[in-house]
Amino acid sequence: MSRNGLRSTSKYISLILRHRPEAIGISLDEHGWADVQELISGINRSGGHTLSMESLEEIVRTDEKQRYSFNEDHTLIRANQGHSVPVDVELEEKIPPDVLWHGTAEKYTASIDRQGLIPKGR
């Protein structure tokens, strides 16, 4: 599969695993895991993309943002973050350090100092 084909299929997988598993007739468990064979079959049935196990493993391995994870035996896959469907991706709770850094443009620091960080729609 070409690099552009992998990128396009990766975006489609992201849509499925983060937002619309029902688009290809699959479901996610409570932790966001999907059966790999069902994902591959569903994508191939959908008509817009072709996916093999080898291509899926390459997508997961080379994704710059590390969007996906396999379980140990590669029978399950999930998106690591960004879900609009309710899932618990089992993140380990940690105590934050005394100092945290937030990357932002310098022109916004006065506002952040006054109001703190404000959630925005992204």
Side-chain angles (χ1 to χ4, degrees):
M1 186 180 290
S2 72
R3 191 76 206 133
N4 285 340
L6 286 174
R7 187 175 302 121
S8 173
T9 301
S10 179
K11 288 180 180 185
Y12 190 52
I13 292 168
S14 181
L15 171 73
I16 293 163
L17 295 180
R18 294 172 62 204
H19 309 294
R20 297 190 50 222
E22 72 281 357
I24 61 165
I26 67 168
S27 60
L28 308 178
D29 74 8
E30 67 272 12
H31 300 293
W33 294 106
D35 180 275
V36 167
Q37 290 307 313
E38 289 178 8
L39 176 73
I40 292 170
S41 296
I43 287 175
N44 290 333
R45 270 193 320 269
S46 72
H49 300 269
T50 302
L51 185 63
S52 67
M53 185 64 184
E54 293 76 24
S55 296
L56 181 59
E57 287 176 332
E58 183 175 354
I59 287 168
V60 172
R61 183 180 63 255
T62 61
D63 189 84
E64 294 172 353
K65 295 184 180 181
Q66 298 180 326
R67 289 179 180 92
Y68 317 105
S69 294
F70 282 118
N71 67 342
E72 286 184 22
D73 63 1
H74 289 206
T75 58
L76 300 174
I77 187 171
R78 72 175 171 192
N80 291 324
Q81 61 187 10
H83 297 82
S84 63
V85 294
V87 297
D88 171 12
V89 291
E90 307 169 291
L91 295 176
E92 182 181 339
E93 189 171 316
K94 298 205 176 218
I95 297 172
D98 292 335
V99 176
L100 290 174
W101 295 96
H102 177 267
T104 192
E106 196 169 323
K107 65 183 178 181
Y108 298 117
T109 58
S111 171
I112 292 170
D113 285 342
R114 271 193 326 278
Q115 302 176 19
L117 294 175
I118 300 170
K120 301 280 183 169
R122 290 182 241 207

